[in-house]
């Protein structure tokens, strides 16, 4: 799949990955990082959660599917949100919480539960290899996924988040754009084993959005 490639800065990998993916469905329009940051309720150095990117696409009225866990989008509304972070991320929870805009998380998650266009898909498990290959190879769709950069780079896990647009798949793995300034590259390869391990990040969704 021929997606444009853009290099991100340290604080806007989500918006840069989204810009790459949007280039595959709206090549006649140039989306600025500033515009996508505003649409996704993102401020510099804050984490952008998948529901925030889905919210941006919702505002653009772009066609997409967003894969969550059953009743997962109710979790950001919970009073025990801090505890959910602690259960999921252990000693790294305070750092991740310090970079989380809880208001943005709650607003965007709630908006997705009220989306009337049927773009919210609840699954217990992330779609497996056959489904991912089908999205790309059979239907020419564009997966945008959240991965654990530490797993991808083979280093100690500190839950470092990064978004990657998938540009292709094969039997052995996924092909993707890496927009991070330290490791940037077009059409890099990741094995399915590493891909699924790196995708185990978010406790309320699967970190997966499919642009149509």
């Amino acid at each position: 799949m021929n997606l444009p490639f853009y290099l991100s800065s340290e604080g806007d990998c989500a918006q840069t990955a989204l810009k790459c993916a949007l280039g595959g469905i709206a090549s006649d329009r140039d989306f600025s990082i500033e515009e996508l940051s505003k649409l996704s309720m993102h401020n510099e150095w804050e984490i952008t959660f998948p529901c925030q990117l889905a919210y941006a696409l919702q505002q653009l009225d772009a066609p997409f599917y967003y894969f969550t866990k059953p009743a997962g989008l109710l979790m950001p509304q919970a009073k025990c949100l801090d505890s959910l972070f602690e259960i999921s991320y252990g000693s790294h929870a305070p750092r991740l919480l310090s970079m989380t805009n809880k208001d943005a998380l709650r607003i965007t998650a709630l908006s997705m539960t009220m989306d009337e266009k049927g773009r919210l898909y609840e699954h217990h498990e992330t779609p497996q290899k056959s489904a991912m290959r089908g999205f790309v190879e059979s239907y020419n769709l564009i997966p945008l996924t959240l991965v654990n950069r530490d797993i991808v780079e083979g280093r100690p896990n500190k839950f470092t988040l990064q978004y990657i647009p998938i540009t292709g798949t094969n039997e052995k793995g996924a092909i993707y754009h890496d927009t991070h300034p330290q490791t940037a590259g077009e059409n890099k390869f990741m094995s399915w084993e590493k891909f699924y391990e790196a995708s185990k990040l978010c406790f309320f969704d699967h970190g997966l959005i499919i642009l149509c």
Side-chain angles (χ1 to χ4, degrees):
M1 188 177 300
N2 186 23
L3 296 185
F5 176 81
Y6 304 100
L7 186 65
S8 70
S9 66
E10 289 284 352
D12 59 23
C13 84
Q15 289 68 35
T16 304
L18 180 57
K19 181 174 181 174
C20 293
L22 283 168
I25 64 170
S27 58
D28 59 333
R29 181 174 174 184
D30 183 22
F31 297 91
S32 70
I33 296 300
E34 292 74 18
E35 177 186 11
L36 296 178
S37 293
K38 183 176 181 180
L39 288 171
S40 57
M41 300 184 70
H42 166 78
N43 297 311
E44 190 175 11
W45 296 110
E46 289 178 351
I47 294 171
T48 301
F49 288 90
C51 56
Q52 292 175 244
L53 292 187
Y55 181 77
L57 290 168
Q58 186 186 56
Q59 306 311 298
L60 291 169
D61 201 28
F64 70 94
Y65 303 127
Y66 171 37
F67 291 79
T68 73
K69 298 176 182 179
L73 292 183
L74 297 178
M75 293 183 181
Q77 319 302 326
K79 293 182 179 179
C80 61
L81 182 59
D82 287 16
S83 296
L84 292 172
F85 267 76
E86 291 170 5
I87 292 169
S88 299
Y89 305 119
S91 62
H92 301 288
R95 175 178 58 85
L96 296 174
L97 278 166
S98 71
M99 297 187 292
T100 296
N101 183 330
K102 294 181 182 178
D103 288 338
L105 176 57
R106 288 175 174 134
I107 290 169
T108 56
L110 181 61
S111 177
M112 288 311 306
T113 64
M114 300 172 67
D115 193 326
E116 297 179 353
K117 294 195 174 183
R119 298 180 288 202
L120 186 64
Y121 284 73
E122 293 189 341
H123 291 263
H124 287 282
E125 301 293 338
T126 303
Q128 293 299 306
K129 176 176 66 175
S130 59
M132 291 291 291
R133 291 191 68 187
F135 292 144
V136 177
E137 297 175 19
S138 300
Y139 298 103
N140 205 35
L141 305 182
I142 306 168
L144 178 63
T145 186
L146 178 65
V147 296
N148 186 333
R149 182 172 161 76
D150 299 320
I151 300 298
V152 174
E153 298 298 325
R155 62 194 187 194
N157 186 10
K158 297 182 179 179
F159 295 101
T160 305
L161 283 58
Q162 180 180 357
Y163 286 88
I164 57 172
I166 304 299
T167 61
T169 60
N170 58 39
E171 183 61 34
K172 294 184 178 180
I175 303 163
Y176 66 99
H177 281 349
D178 179 357
T179 67
H180 194 282
Q182 295 179 3
T183 55
E186 300 180 48
N187 298 315
K188 297 175 72 171
F189 175 81
M190 187 188 315
S191 70
W192 286 121
E193 181 180 12
K194 180 173 285 189
F195 178 83
Y196 287 118
E197 182 64 25
S199 299
K200 297 174 182 177
L201 264 178
C202 196
F203 55 85
F204 58 84
D205 68 20
H206 295 297
L208 176 63
I209 296 171
I210 307 292
L211 282 74
C212 306

